[in-house]
Amino acid sequence: MTNTATGPPLRAAETARPGPLLSLWGAAASPGALARVLLDPGRALPAPDLAGEPARRALEPVRERAEAERGSPWPQPLASQYARYFQDGDRTVYERNVFDRQDRLTRAVLMAAATGDDGWLAEAADGIVLLCEQSSWCWPAHEESCRPRGAVLPDPAAPCLDLGAGDVAAQLAWADQAIGERLDERFPGVRERVRAEVRARVLEPFTRRRDWHWLGLDGQVHNWCPWICGNVLVAALRLAEPGEERALQVTLAVEGVDRYLAALPPDGSVDEGYEYWWNGACRALEALDVLAHATSGVLDAAGAPVVRATVRFPYLMHLGGGWYVNVADARARPPAGQPWDVLHRWAQRVGDPDGVRHAAAQRATAVSPAAELGRVMTALGDPAWLEAEAAGPPLVASAWLPGTQMGVARAAGGTDRGLALVVKGGHNAENHNHNDVGSVIVAVDGVPAVVDAGRPTYTARTFGPDRYAIWTMRGDWHNVPEVRGTPQRAGASYRARDVEVADEPGLFRVRLDLAAAYPVGGLERWWRTALLDRSSGEVTIEDAWRFTGDGEPSALRFLLAGEVRQDGPGEVEVRPPGGGRAAVLTWDPERAAGSLTVRELDDPMLTAVWGDRLTRLELALPGTAEGSVLVRVGVRG
């Protein structure tokens, strides 16, 4: 894509197909209607009392970190670091400096607002101007102007609107909300500079260009859409002048959020998994929070069915403690510091007591020093969240989400004791896809033992043509068969078919045919049946195949985390991370010979979850035209 206009500026709804929000609101979401109801920029964003005692107590960790770094040089993203993405694929060094700079600015703004101290105001002004002078707000992996020019540095005259640029615009808007008037008194001109930079780098490209891939106008909608549109919404509400242009910016942002929600299945599930729910569906909910405030409740999304449904997704994916179901690029143990107030608030609004309980169970009394500015201000402005009473998570007994073909079941509802089974169908063209159709996860007392590795640190390879050269993305390192020497392929046509689900008090069973996930001639059926039997407390995974004739052998693979010990030709014990009780996998060694392969880990994204190794169990299957193998999983100790 080039950063040039593709025609006259698009007016709102010219290409929009109404989704759940626009269908609910109708003409009330038009630019003309919004121009009449939007609050003025001074009142359009929530304004919590950051100087009050409750906020100051919650901000104590922020104060400690801010004091420690005060007077030291600011993090400085460098040209050589930016260029590395185009030279050796590394994006982490540059991005770390960008994130550290923005985190420090957030801390300075919060301290300036909480204390009224002019020294903190000066610190915040320094950070704001540093952002305004940064050549590009776009992260190098998303920059679109470099390669067409044969360059390794961005063109400041052609700003690229990506996740990074949207984040900066919103951060500056929230900073203006918190300390804008005091900046006028002590540093006149800074606010005008902020508005000029946000207009040129974000608001003008957003309304002028309609070929941004993340808008999803081609039907391919993913989490970038609500993330960026939500940040644009915040920036427009606070930093744009009242009038038709501001109303159009808001309307186009709302259309983007609407388009994302329309792309979610009716059950509100997210194919990128739990961790990405926070930067997809949750970003949409945050935008809708701001919109409801800015319109004095005229545009309220609580009545949209998909909104009500997606509130359930985080707690349905909970295994126990800090462990969650992970598919695609998500981690099984994601960061705990999520904006739980958003889930709590929306669960209250849609009447979901389990969502309220799950969010309240995660509430921290202090603000993380690395939290986003807007998320901190929103949480500290919610009295119901600040006063929420701790509760145990719901730990529902079972759930099947047909939109993404994901199932989760545990031995008993309300406790993580015993085995939990996760089954995934779907296809191999999902967002952040891994080749994992038919994969299973098994947890013991809430901790995964038969696992999905997740993903390593992002580099240039991650989203390029070499994605499936990365071992964590390939089928041979997921809990799926390899059929006659052939792994699963990437693409929408490689999918599960004929999926059958039984969800009963005594058992949870998913049966699905995996044959379409493999480009193997003569393969008629590959049935996988995963079952949790609550009466016995066991999980069974049965694979049964049918070919037109005999051929090469196949294999089953199971990725194991923790301490793994092979106790005999047909038994492996797996004591998952953190100790506790073990899972025991057994099978008939006459039907399948088992072997173990250790995978040493050195990437911090993986070692932080699994430690220094994962172990793969491989069961060699005969090349017969028909056959079956049953693997049992029980609990020991």
Side-chain angles (χ1 to χ4, degrees):
M1 292 185 292
T2 57
N3 201 12
T4 57
T6 57
L10 182 80
R11 310 322 290 175
E14 282 182 3
T15 64
R17 180 176 299 171
L21 302 180
L22 297 182
S23 297
L24 181 67
W25 296 332
S30 66
L34 283 172
R36 292 189 295 272
V37 303
L38 285 176
L39 296 177
D40 63 78
R43 298 180 297 147
L45 298 182
D49 178 14
L50 297 178
E53 187 58 29
R56 295 185 69 168
R57 284 198 305 269
L59 290 171
E60 183 60 20
V62 176
R63 184 196 63 77
E64 292 177 0
R65 178 72 177 274
E67 291 281 8
E69 67 197 359
R70 194 175 187 179
S72 65
W74 280 77
Q76 183 61 50
L78 300 175
S80 58
Q81 297 165 352
Y82 200 101
R84 283 192 62 181
Y85 178 78
F86 303 96
Q87 295 168 342
D88 64 17
D90 185 283
R91 56 186 282 183
T92 303
V93 175
Y94 179 85
E95 288 179 3
R96 186 67 270 155
N97 276 328
V98 165
F99 301 155
D100 287 348
R101 172 185 278 184
Q102 289 183 244
D103 289 348
R104 179 166 171 175
L105 172 58
T106 288
R107 292 188 286 271
V109 169
L110 291 171
M111 287 301 95
T115 66
D117 181 82
D118 285 344
W120 286 120
L121 189 69
E123 173 94 346
D126 286 344
I128 289 170
V129 173
L130 281 171
L131 283 183
C132 289
E133 293 179 346
Q134 192 169 300
S135 294
S136 175
W137 294 342
C138 175
W139 302 339
H142 306 155
E143 176 59 60
E144 63 183 27
S145 72
C146 289
R147 285 198 169 93
R149 296 182 294 115
V152 295
L153 297 176
D155 179 1
C160 181
L161 178 48
D162 76 325
L163 297 175
D167 277 352
V168 173
Q171 183 182 26
L172 293 174
W174 285 108
D176 193 79
Q177 176 77 355
I179 59 173
E181 292 183 2
R182 291 176 58 210
L183 285 173
D184 268 346
E185 295 171 2
R186 292 296 303 272
F187 300 97
V190 168
R191 297 178 78 192
E192 287 77 8
R193 175 71 183 278
V194 165
R195 282 159 174 75
E197 295 290 348
V198 170
R199 182 171 58 252
R201 300 186 193 219
V202 173
L203 296 179
E204 192 277 336
F206 178 70
T207 53
R208 175 172 57 85
R209 283 187 54 179
R210 293 288 96 188
D211 64 340
W212 298 111
H213 70 89
W214 45 262
L215 283 172
L217 292 171
D218 60 356
Q220 300 298 312
V221 191
H222 52 80
N223 70 310
W224 282 35
C225 187
W227 193 343
I228 296 176
C229 287
N231 281 331
V232 169
L233 173 68
V234 168
L237 288 171
R238 179 67 191 184
L239 302 177
E241 292 295 323
E244 292 183 2
E245 184 177 4
R246 177 176 180 247
L248 175 62
Q249 292 162 353
V250 170
T251 303
L252 291 174
V254 171
E255 288 179 2
V257 174
D258 186 50
R259 196 174 303 116
Y260 172 79
L261 292 175
L264 291 182
D267 58 33
S269 58
V270 175
D271 60 3
E272 297 157 297
Y274 162 83
E275 185 175 2
Y276 281 84
W277 183 92
W278 293 103
N279 281 326
C282 181
R283 296 284 182 178
L285 296 179
E286 290 175 277
L288 295 174
D289 269 335
V290 170
L291 185 66
H293 174 87
T295 61
S296 302
V298 172
L299 298 185
D300 185 346
V306 71
V307 169
R308 302 173 66 88
T310 201
V311 166
R312 303 173 64 236
F313 188 71
Y315 67 80
L316 294 181
M317 295 294 105
H318 188 208
L319 294 174
W323 297 94
Y324 286 81
V325 175
N326 68 307
V327 295
D329 280 351
R331 287 169 285 184
R333 197 168 191 170
Q338 304 293 356
W340 291 102
D341 64 293
V342 180
L343 180 61
H344 186 264
R345 190 160 47 250
W346 278 95
Q348 286 185 318
R349 292 176 68 182
V350 304
D352 187 335
D354 282 342
V356 173
R357 285 180 58 197
H358 187 68
Q362 321 302 322
R363 189 176 77 86
T365 58
V367 172
S368 167
E372 294 178 25
L373 180 56
R375 287 179 162 177
V376 174
M377 293 177 66
T378 302
L380 293 180
D382 183 351
W385 174 244
L386 296 179
E387 299 167 4
E389 296 184 1
L395 295 169
V396 298
S398 60
W400 173 253
L401 299 169
T404 48
Q405 293 186 346
M406 283 198 293
V408 185
R410 54 175 41 89
T415 177
D416 60 14
R417 183 75 173 172
L419 292 180
L421 169 67
V422 179
V423 187
K424 179 190 177 298
H427 59 82
N428 281 337
E430 294 162 342
N431 292 304
H432 291 251
N433 180 71
H434 292 196
N435 290 338
D436 61 354
V437 172
S439 188
V440 295
I441 295 170
V442 181
V444 182
D445 300 336
V447 183
V450 181
V451 309
D452 185 309
R455 55 96 171 173
T457 301
Y458 283 160
T459 68
R461 299 174 70 201
T462 309
F463 299 105
D466 294 331
R467 177 176 178 84
Y468 295 101
I470 301 171
W471 69 271
T472 61
M473 318 296 184
R474 302 197 311 254
D476 55 334
W477 287 95
H478 283 83
N479 304 319
V480 297
E482 182 169 287
V483 178
R484 292 192 169 174
T486 303
Q488 292 186 13
R489 298 281 178 85
S493 62
Y494 299 102
R495 60 174 56 243
R497 62 189 184 188
D498 298 335
V499 179
E500 304 169 0
V501 180
D503 190 353
E504 302 169 4
L507 62 84
F508 180 87
R509 181 181 61 239
V510 178
R511 184 174 187 258
L512 59 172
D513 181 14
L514 308 184
Y518 299 88
V520 175
L523 175 58
E524 295 181 347
R525 290 285 193 179
W526 192 291
W527 287 109
R528 166 159 282 188
T529 304
L531 181 147
L532 171 66
D533 186 331
R534 294 190 173 97
S535 61
S536 67
E538 281 190 336
V539 164
T540 57
I541 303 156
E542 182 177 25
D543 286 84
W545 58 88
R546 186 172 72 236
F547 295 87
T548 55
D550 293 347
E552 296 296 315
S554 299
L556 299 180
R557 295 193 171 103
F558 297 97
L559 194 59
L560 312 175
E563 297 298 322
V564 179
R565 186 180 71 205
Q566 188 159 7
D567 289 339
E571 181 176 315
V572 166
E573 179 185 275
V574 186
R575 198 165 297 277
R581 297 196 297 170
V584 181
L585 283 70
T586 58
W587 65 95
D588 183 350
E590 297 297 322
R591 289 176 174 265
S595 61
L596 298 176
T597 301
V598 173
R599 181 96 196 195
E600 301 291 345
L601 305 178
D602 57 8
D603 188 286
M605 294 293 289
L606 297 171
T607 58
V609 179
W610 306 118
D612 60 4
R613 67 181 61 191
L614 289 168
T615 303
R616 185 176 66 182
L617 169 64
E618 180 169 320
L619 303 182
L621 306 180
T624 54
E626 295 188 37
S628 65
V629 168
L630 179 71
V631 176
R632 298 183 184 276
V633 186
V635 179
R636 176 179 293 165

